Amino acid sequence: GGGVFGGEKPAIGRWHEHFYATLEAYLTQQRFAGKDQSIMATVCIRTPDLCHLVPPPPHWELVTKTQTTENPWFYLQDYLLYGPSAGRTNAESGEKESV
């Protein structure tokens, strides 16, 4: 696993600053810090202007040659490949776009 993030250089610098300050706070408070997702979520809650969460559209599903899944965990790959309309129903044909 691992988190996915990106941005312009100043934003990455801010992320670095907030991430490691939050990690240090977790450790100081003797909170569990073994998963980066907890640290990342806390940074996003405390500095929402630094995070852009990408939810899948309603009824999104991933269709590949070998499987179909409705697990929203996998939406980001479609979003990065095809943009915000990834996986939405084609209004003319009613068919889903495929990966």
Side-chain angles (χ1 to χ4, degrees), residues 25-99:
Y26 267 53
L27 297 173
T28 299
Q29 298 166 12
Q30 296 185 339
R31 294 175 63 187
F32 176 71
K35 296 281 185 182
D36 66 348
Q37 291 176 352
S38 300
I39 310 299
M40 294 170 85
T42 301
V43 171
C44 289
I45 289 168
R46 290 182 177 168
T47 54
D49 65 307
L50 195 54
C51 299
H52 175 74
L53 302 179
V54 180
H59 310 295
W60 170 83
E61 65 181 31
L62 173 68
V63 180
T64 68
K65 292 179 182 178
T66 58
Q67 67 179 2
T68 298
T69 181
E70 293 181 3
N71 185 336
W73 186 261
F74 299 105
Y75 175 67
L76 186 60
Q77 71 182 11
D78 274 11
Y79 182 87
L80 294 173
L81 286 170
Y82 305 111
S85 64
R88 294 185 185 214
T89 302
N90 182 324
E92 294 180 6
S93 68
E95 295 179 10
K96 304 285 281 179
E97 294 180 24
S98 307
V99 176

Side-chain angles (χ1 to χ4, degrees), residues 5-18 49-51:
F5 64 93
E8 296 179 357
K9 187 175 180 177
I12 298 297
R14 284 187 61 216
W15 177 261
H16 180 271
E17 174 187 335
H18 287 280
D49 65 307
L50 195 54
C51 299

